[in-house]
């Protein structure tokens, strides 16, 4: 047995009994003694280095988990004061920080609210304030290849450490302590990173090897999550100061950036450049990283300059100055200048890119040109000349004054840099702050550090803005009428001016309309979405007003959502007291029915007998069906309303304009001709309509369940109002189907439906009489005697009784009309059958 195996066995034999006591003993004294015995394996304990290492590797996490399991025990609640901090907090603050952090975060995420959760949060707070994160980072810097630290553990610790505010906030929510909030936590984390780098420099001076891989990964992950500003607000100024006179700090900083994973390097580099105030500081921190890392090169030479434009001018100065400070990086500066020139003189980019981006590219162009040496100008003269002429010309052609002025300023600056009398450009324009800023970019910049000062153009910009605002304020103040205190000194002059205002003629605003905040919907689906889910009263009202027009205009779109739209309209409530709500809703439902008739009618007739509908909704269904049937029964006279008769279409195609001419002449002759007698009038010509093919879908489903009482609906009982309206609707539907093929079948079932209810209440009697009147009006006399001969005698007696003794005048009138129609049909039948006999 070697030494490591012996140490493993000895530590396991010593620790296991104590762990069992802490986990299962009911004696508080035994648990306290066991913890005191385990204390010597922690930091500052009297155990040997090998024993402590073995305890940390195999037993430390288990001990912490056992302690967590005692959060609800009597022993835990019996700890107080110093004993609590020593026996409980001490085990989390004096062991391996990565394991303690994982256990604490897992416990916080899984523990319900109570004293146990409060204790874990308190320990985690002390963990951060005691500098244990710094200890954790430094322990990762000392890890060598082949150590016991696994890649999975490193990744888990990295994730938890970078996301600690999110993990704690998910559980604690509004009760999250301030040290766990992102600004405080990431600022504290940046200070720990800085201290770790200081220890790394000290260790390197002492000849000890260190690794910055974990710190670099942590930095990249934090910046990738969007917290780079908090971190580099602390790191960037301090690193800039430390690298100014210490070569070792330069080496450590560059090594730190080199170890950042490529997928996170962009967020790190961007945040770093934003918090540095000089190109030389960036050069000290990055060295020639742009030449070693292709991703960094792409970000610095292309993405930050040409694809993004929200960055300040200071970032452009830092990036371009960084490329110009080293002989090995200057080819990249020339490459950048060529790319910027190509974009700046591109006429398509001028037309299709925002003004802010054009200004950003102009700044990059002038800054890159200002960094060129005199010896490099001849090499790039042709590129600059082509850029100047092409870019200025395409900007002068623009209709935007700001774009034209930008082209003039940049053209003048480029011609001065080329220093060729032949190509000196000079324009006349009104100088403003933007043009002065562009002109200042061509001035040479010092390479000395200016960390404590902002660039000149940015430092003076707030002052210029303040001056501009003050001048505007003065002009506005001068244009405003004087106040009461000011007018008191002017005396009669101000009074006369006020008097003269009364003579001004007011504007006629009677025809003005209030501008709506919400635009009405333009598409059927947008209208449907607004009616379904919107809580804006104005939007709902506009959608309801536009619904009918949209549904009738967009037939194909309406048919795609007709049933769903009908369902929404049927259940729609007047939540916002909309003017004309019921009329708008009814018109929209009629538009749906006539546009996509069969599916909508099938849905409405099925819902009429469904459960959980109010009487108002059932009456609405009947009204919509009646109005839709009336509209569909109108003759088809327009191509948009339906198909024309074949003969009419054929004649129109054959005759063309001649037929149209003859129709006009015939109309004029008829209007001018005076006739004494026209003779026997011709019967009206039958014309097709859209109701005849679908009449059965309206009529038969409404007859299906009238005599079956529902849980909340009884037509033959208490809901006689709906029954009367149903009878009236059925009579109307039957009359409109006078020439439909389904009419004879309809008339056979109608009397059987009427007879059981003809002695009902007033509303029902009116409905029955209207339906009977519709039967006698619609049915030919031959069919009336053949199909309804058995019921005519009883029906005639009932009608006579109603006409004489019914207390309601409407019922008496309908009964008389029905008797007249019946007698007329009988007389017609007898006259037509007399020759045969």
């Amino acid at each position: 047995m070697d030494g490591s195996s012996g140490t493993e066995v000895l530590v396991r034999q010593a620790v296991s009994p104590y762990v069992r006591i802490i986990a299962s003993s009911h004696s508080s004294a035994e648990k306290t003694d066991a913890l005191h015995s385990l204390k010597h394996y922690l930091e500052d304990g009297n155990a040997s280095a090998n024993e402590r290492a073995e305890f940390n590797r195999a037993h430390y996490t288990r001990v912490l988990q056992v302690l967590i399991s005692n959060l609800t025990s009597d022993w835990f609640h019996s700890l107080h004061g110093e004993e609590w901090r020593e026996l409980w907090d001490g085990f989390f603050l004096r062991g391996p920080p990565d394991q303690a952090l994982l256990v604490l975060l897992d416990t916080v995420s899984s523990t319900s609210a109570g004293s146990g959760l409060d204790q874990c949060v308190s320990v985690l707070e002390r963990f951060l304030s005691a500098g244990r994160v710094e200890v954790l980072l430094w322990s990762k810097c000392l890890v060598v290849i082949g150590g016991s630290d696994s890649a999975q553990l490193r990744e888990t610790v990295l994730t938890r450490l970078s996301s600690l505010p999110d993990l704690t906030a998910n559980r604690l929510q509004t009760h999250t302590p301030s040290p766990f909030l992102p600004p405080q936590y990431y600022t504290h984390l940046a200070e720990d990173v800085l201290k770790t780098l200081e220890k790394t420099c000290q260790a390197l001076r002492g000849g000890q090897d260190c690794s910055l891989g974990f710190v670099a990964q942590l930095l990249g992950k934090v910046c990738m999550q969007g917290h780079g500003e908090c971190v580099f607000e602390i790191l960037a100024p301090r690193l800039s100061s430390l690298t100014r006179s210490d070569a070792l700090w330069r080496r450590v900083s560059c090594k730190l950036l080199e170890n950042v994973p490529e997928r996170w390097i962009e967020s790190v580099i961007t945040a770093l450049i934003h918090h540095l105030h000089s190109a030389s500081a960036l050069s000290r921190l990055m060295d020639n990283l742009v030449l070693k890392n292709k991703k960094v090169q792409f970000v610095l030479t292309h993405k930050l300059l040409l694809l993004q434009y929200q960055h300040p001018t200071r970032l452009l100065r830092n990036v371009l100055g960084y490329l110009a400070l080293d002989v090995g990086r200057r080819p990249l500066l020339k490459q950048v200048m060529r790319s910027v020139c190509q974009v700046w003189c591109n006429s398509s980019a001028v037309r299709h890119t925002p003004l802010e981006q054009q200004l950003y590219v102009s700044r990059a162009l002038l800054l890159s040109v200002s960094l060129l040496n005199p010896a490099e100008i001849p090499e790039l003269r042709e590129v600059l000349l082509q850029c100047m002429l092409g870019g200025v010309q395409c900007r002068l052609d623009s209709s935007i004054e700001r774009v034209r002025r930008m082209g003039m300023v940049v053209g003048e600056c480029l011609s001065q840099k080329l220093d060729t009398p032949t190509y000196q450009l000079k324009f006349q324009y009104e100088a403003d702050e933007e043009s002065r800023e562009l002109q200042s970019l061509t001035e040479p910049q010092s390479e000395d550090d200016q960390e404590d000062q902002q660039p000149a153009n940015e430092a003076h910009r707030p002052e210029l803005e303040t001056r501009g605002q003050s001048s505007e304020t003065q002009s506005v103040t001068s244009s405003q009428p004087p106040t009461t205190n000011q007018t008191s000194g002017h005396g009669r002059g101000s009074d006369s001016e006020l008097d003269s205002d009364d003579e001004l003629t007011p504007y006629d605003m009677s025809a003005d309309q209030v501008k709506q905040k919400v635009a009405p919907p333009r598409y059927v689906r947008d209208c449907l979405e607004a009616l379904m889910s919107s809580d804006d009263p104005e939007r709902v009202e506009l959608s309801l007003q536009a619904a009918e027009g949209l549904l009738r205009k967009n037939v194909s779109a309406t048919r795609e959502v007709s049933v769903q739209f009908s369902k929404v309209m049927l259940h729609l409530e007047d939540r916002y007291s909309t003017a004309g709500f019921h009329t708008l809703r009814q018109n929209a439902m009629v538009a749906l029915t006539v546009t996509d008739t069969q599916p909508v009618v099938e849905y409405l007739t099925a819902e009429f007998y469904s459960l959980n509908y109010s009487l108002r909704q059932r009456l609405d269904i009947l009204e919509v069906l009646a109005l839709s049937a009336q509209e569909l029964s109108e003759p088809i006279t327009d191509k948009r309303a339906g198909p024309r008769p074949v003969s009419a279409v054929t004649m129109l195609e054959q005759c063309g304009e001649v037929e149209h001419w003859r129709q006009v002449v015939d109309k004029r002759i008829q209007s001018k001709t005076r006739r004494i007698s026209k003779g026997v009038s011709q019967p009206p010509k039958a014309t097709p309509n859209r109701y005849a093919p679908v009449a059965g879908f309206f009529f038969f489903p409404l007859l299906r369940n009238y005599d079956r009482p529902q849980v909340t609906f009884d037509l033959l009982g208490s809901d006689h109002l709906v029954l009367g309206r149903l009878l009236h609707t059925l009579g109307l539907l039957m009359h409109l189907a006078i020439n439909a093929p389904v009419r004879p079948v309809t008339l056979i079932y109608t009397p059987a439906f009427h007879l059981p209810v003809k002695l009902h209440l007033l509303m029902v009697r009116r409905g029955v009489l209207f339906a009977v009147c519709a039967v006698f009006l619609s049915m030919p006399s031959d069919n009336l005697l053949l199909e309804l001969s058995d019921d005519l005698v009883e029906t005639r007696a009932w009608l006579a009784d109603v006409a004489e003794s019914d207390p309601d005048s409407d019922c008496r009138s309908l009964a008389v009309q029905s008797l007249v129609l019946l007698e007329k049909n009988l007389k017609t039948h007898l006259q037509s059958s007399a020759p045969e006999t």
Side-chain angles (χ1 to χ4, degrees):
M1 181 181 296
D2 55 7
S4 60
S5 299
T7 303
E8 179 181 348
V9 173
L10 292 176
V11 172
R12 184 174 65 250
Q13 292 176 351
V15 172
S16 297
Y18 297 133
V19 174
R20 284 194 297 270
I21 291 174
I22 300 172
S24 58
S25 177
H26 297 285
S27 173
S28 299
E30 290 182 356
K31 291 185 177 182
T32 302
D33 293 339
L35 286 176
H36 279 291
S37 300
L38 292 175
K39 278 174 52 180
H40 76 282
Y41 291 105
L42 302 177
E43 296 177 5
D44 302 330
N46 55 7
S48 64
N50 292 336
E51 291 176 343
R52 186 181 300 113
E54 176 60 23
F55 174 81
N56 293 339
R57 184 191 67 83
H59 304 282
Y60 179 69
T61 299
R62 174 59 181 162
V63 172
L64 296 185
Q65 293 172 346
V66 172
L67 287 176
I68 293 296
S69 66
N70 281 269
L71 285 173
T72 58
S73 64
D74 296 336
W75 167 78
F76 172 77
H77 293 282
S78 66
L79 297 176
H80 297 285
E82 187 63 30
E83 189 177 38
W84 197 336
R85 288 190 293 272
E86 181 182 2
L87 294 181
W88 183 270
D89 295 1
F91 271 85
F92 289 93
L93 302 179
R94 294 171 56 192
D98 52 352
Q99 299 182 45
L101 179 67
L102 294 179
V103 172
L104 286 173
L105 288 178
D106 289 342
T107 305
V108 170
S109 301
S110 59
T111 305
S112 57
S115 58
L117 178 61
D118 295 340
Q119 174 62 18
C120 290
V121 172
S122 175
V123 174
L124 186 58
E125 236 180 305
R126 288 194 61 192
F127 184 92
L128 297 180
S129 61
R132 299 303 295 175
V133 175
E134 177 190 346
V135 177
L136 190 156
L137 297 179
W138 176 238
S139 66
K140 300 301 180 182
C141 291
L142 295 177
V143 174
V144 296
I145 299 176
S148 59
D149 195 8
S150 64
Q152 183 178 2
L153 177 61
R154 287 172 64 90
E155 183 64 27
T156 304
V157 174
L158 181 68
T159 302
R160 301 295 176 84
L161 197 59
S162 61
S163 307
L164 187 143
D166 296 332
L167 297 174
T168 54
N170 287 340
R171 181 66 187 86
L172 303 177
Q173 298 181 359
T174 58
H175 303 288
T176 304
S178 58
F180 299 154
L181 299 178
Q184 291 88 330
Y185 174 75
Y186 289 110
T187 299
H188 191 276
L189 183 64
E191 295 173 351
D192 290 334
V193 169
L194 191 59
K195 293 176 183 178
T196 303
L197 296 179
E198 291 178 355
K199 288 186 177 181
T200 301
C201 290
Q202 295 176 3
L204 292 175
R205 288 190 175 94
Q208 184 179 3
D209 292 336
C210 297
S211 172
L212 293 174
F214 184 85
V215 179
Q217 291 178 8
L218 176 63
L219 190 64
K221 198 171 185 66
V222 168
C223 293
M224 181 270 299
Q225 294 175 353
H227 305 291
E229 183 177 356
C230 293
V231 173
F232 278 103
E233 189 176 4
I234 303 297
L235 283 181
R238 185 61 179 160
L239 291 178
S240 178
S241 176
L242 291 172
T243 55
R244 187 179 303 174
S245 58
D246 194 330
L248 183 59
W249 268 103
R250 296 183 185 179
R251 176 186 168 192
V252 170
S253 300
C254 185
K255 201 68 176 177
L256 176 67
L257 296 177
E258 287 180 3
N259 286 329
V260 175
E262 187 172 338
R263 62 185 182 276
W264 300 330
I265 189 64
E266 178 183 349
S267 57
V268 175
I269 295 299
T270 305
L272 173 64
I273 299 175
H274 268 286
H275 289 83
L276 292 176
H277 297 293
S278 69
S280 57
L282 180 62
S283 180
R284 292 197 302 269
L285 294 179
M286 290 182 56
D287 195 29
N288 284 331
L289 181 62
V290 69
L291 301 177
K292 303 175 184 178
N293 192 312
K294 293 297 182 182
K295 182 65 175 293
V296 175
Q297 184 177 129
F298 171 76
V299 171
L300 293 185
T301 62
H302 189 77
K303 192 166 187 178
L304 292 179
L305 303 179
L306 300 178
L307 300 182
Q308 300 174 353
Y309 58 92
Q310 74 276 12
H311 304 295
T313 307
R314 183 180 68 251
L315 181 137
L316 291 175
R317 288 186 183 275
N318 291 343
V319 172
L320 296 173
Y322 165 73
L323 297 178
L325 284 178
D326 187 83
V327 177
R329 300 194 292 263
R330 290 196 71 85
L332 293 178
L333 176 64
K334 300 177 184 178
Q335 174 186 334
V336 166
M337 200 210 68
R338 290 189 178 94
S339 301
V340 174
C341 285
Q342 184 178 3
V343 173
W344 196 81
C345 67
N346 190 332
S347 60
S348 177
V350 175
R351 291 192 303 268
H352 300 101
T353 56
L355 290 177
E356 289 76 12
Q357 186 172 4
Q358 297 186 40
L359 179 61
Y360 188 81
V361 173
S362 300
R363 290 169 181 164
L365 175 60
L366 294 179
L367 284 173
S368 59
V369 171
S370 67
L371 293 171
L372 295 176
N373 296 328
E376 295 173 333
I377 295 296
E379 177 185 351
L380 301 171
R381 181 180 299 275
E382 190 65 27
V383 176
L384 292 174
L385 185 60
Q386 183 178 359
C387 171
M388 179 183 67
L389 297 178
V392 171
Q393 182 60 45
C394 64
R395 279 169 173 77
L396 291 178
D397 294 338
S398 175
S399 60
I400 303 175
E401 181 182 358
R402 188 178 173 189
V403 175
R404 295 197 301 270
R405 185 188 300 114
M406 192 186 309
M408 296 176 190
V409 174
V410 177
E412 288 183 355
C413 295
L414 291 179
S415 64
Q416 293 174 5
K417 191 66 178 179
L418 290 174
D419 196 19
T420 303
T422 308
Y423 298 108
Q424 286 287 340
L425 298 179
K426 190 65 177 178
F427 299 96
Q428 291 183 356
Y429 55 87
E430 185 178 353
D432 58 355
E433 182 183 353
E434 184 177 290
S435 60
R436 287 190 290 269
E437 178 199 357
L438 291 174
Q439 291 171 350
S440 67
L441 297 179
T442 58
E443 300 175 0
Q445 298 291 322
S446 174
E447 295 183 1
D448 296 335
D449 288 348
Q450 298 176 357
E451 286 86 357
D452 298 332
Q453 299 179 359
Q454 296 287 340
N457 61 329
E458 295 188 2
H460 294 293
R461 186 175 303 170
E463 180 181 356
L464 292 173
E465 292 178 355
T466 304
R467 293 176 182 175
Q469 293 174 357
S470 62
S471 62
E472 292 176 0
T473 305
Q474 293 175 1
S475 63
V476 171
T477 304
S478 62
S479 64
Q480 291 178 347
T483 60
T484 304
N485 295 332
Q486 294 171 343
T487 58
S488 61
H490 294 283
R492 298 178 180 177
S494 60
D495 294 338
S496 63
E497 292 177 1
L498 292 175
D499 293 340
S500 64
D501 293 342
D502 297 336
E503 300 176 359
L504 297 177
T505 304
Y507 284 107
D508 182 12
M509 303 179 65
S510 59
D512 288 1
Q513 298 179 353
V514 179
K515 186 177 181 180
Q516 297 174 341
K517 297 181 180 179
V518 182
R522 300 174 56 190
Y523 302 97
V524 173
R525 290 189 180 273
D526 293 344
C527 183
L528 175 61
E529 182 67 24
L531 294 174
M532 287 177 59
S533 58
S534 177
D535 293 328
D536 184 1
E538 185 177 358
R539 185 184 176 195
V540 173
E541 182 177 359
L542 291 175
S543 300
L544 196 58
Q545 293 174 353
E548 181 185 5
L550 290 174
L551 294 172
R552 293 183 182 274
K553 182 179 179 181
N554 305 281
V555 177
S556 59
T558 301
R559 289 174 177 172
E560 293 178 0
V561 295
S562 58
V563 176
Q564 183 183 4
F565 211 125
S566 301
K567 182 177 181 180
V568 172
M569 298 305 296
L570 182 60
H571 293 82
L572 190 64
E573 298 179 356
D574 189 9
R575 296 182 296 169
Y576 307 111
S577 300
T578 305
F581 171 82
H582 295 287
T583 303
L584 294 173
R585 172 171 166 265
Q586 186 181 83
N587 294 342
M589 295 181 70
V590 172
L592 285 165
T593 308
V594 300
T595 303
D596 196 15
T597 305
Q598 181 176 341
V600 176
V601 170
E602 289 178 348
Y603 168 75
L604 293 177
T605 53
E607 295 302 304
F608 179 76
Y609 288 106
S610 298
L611 301 179
N612 301 323
Y613 278 98
S614 65
L615 297 183
R616 176 70 262 177
Q617 289 174 308
R618 301 183 197 276
L619 292 175
D620 290 340
I621 292 176
L622 294 177
E623 290 177 3
V624 169
L625 292 176
L627 293 173
S628 302
Q630 288 179 352
E631 182 175 343
L632 291 172
S633 64
E634 295 177 357
I636 299 176
T637 57
D638 191 354
K639 295 179 68 175
R640 292 172 294 181
R644 288 179 177 268
V646 177
S647 59
V649 175
T650 305
M651 292 176 61
L652 185 62
E653 290 177 352
Q654 292 175 353
C655 300
E657 296 182 358
V658 178
E659 180 67 23
H660 174 69
W661 171 80
R662 289 181 178 178
Q663 290 178 357
V664 174
V665 172
D666 291 341
K667 288 180 180 179
R668 290 181 179 179
I669 294 174
Q670 292 176 4
S671 63
K672 300 295 183 180
T673 303
R674 183 177 180 182
R675 294 181 176 87
I676 299 176
S677 175
K678 294 185 179 180
V680 180
S681 60
Q682 297 294 330
K685 184 182 296 185
T687 56
N689 61 60
R690 292 180 290 167
Y691 177 66
V694 295
F697 296 104
F698 282 80
F699 191 86
F700 294 116
L702 292 178
L703 283 172
R704 182 173 48 196
N705 296 321
Y706 78 95
D707 57 346
R708 299 178 185 177
Q710 305 293 332
V711 176
T712 59
F713 186 43
D714 185 9
L715 282 176
L716 299 181
S718 59
D719 298 322
H720 55 273
L721 179 65
V722 182
L723 177 59
R725 187 61 186 173
L726 173 62
L727 294 171
H728 186 277
T729 303
L730 288 172
L732 178 63
L733 295 176
M734 182 175 55
H735 175 64
L736 295 175
I738 185 171
N739 295 317
V742 76
R743 182 184 55 81
V745 181
T746 301
L747 297 179
I748 292 174
Y749 286 94
T750 301
F753 173 62
H754 292 157
L755 292 179
V757 296
K758 63 185 179 182
L759 299 178
H760 215 288
L761 298 177
L762 175 61
M763 239 355 245
V764 180
R765 293 203 310 275
R766 287 181 180 177
V768 171
L769 291 168
F770 179 82
V772 170
C773 188
V775 170
F776 294 156
L777 182 64
S778 305
M779 179 176 284
S781 57
D782 296 340
N783 294 343
L784 185 64
L785 292 176
L786 293 175
E787 299 176 3
L788 305 178
S789 58
D790 297 337
D791 300 321
L792 286 181
V793 176
E794 181 181 354
T795 303
R796 185 176 183 180
W798 172 67
L799 291 173
D801 182 65
V802 171
E804 294 178 359
S805 60
D806 197 283
D808 183 66
S809 60
D810 292 338
C811 291
R812 294 195 302 270
S813 175
L814 288 172
V816 171
Q817 293 180 20
S818 299
L819 287 172
V820 172
L821 290 173
L822 178 60
E823 296 296 335
K824 182 179 179 181
N825 285 332
L826 292 175
K827 183 179 180 181
T828 303
H829 177 71
L830 292 175
Q831 290 177 352
S832 61
S833 60
E836 298 177 0
T837 59

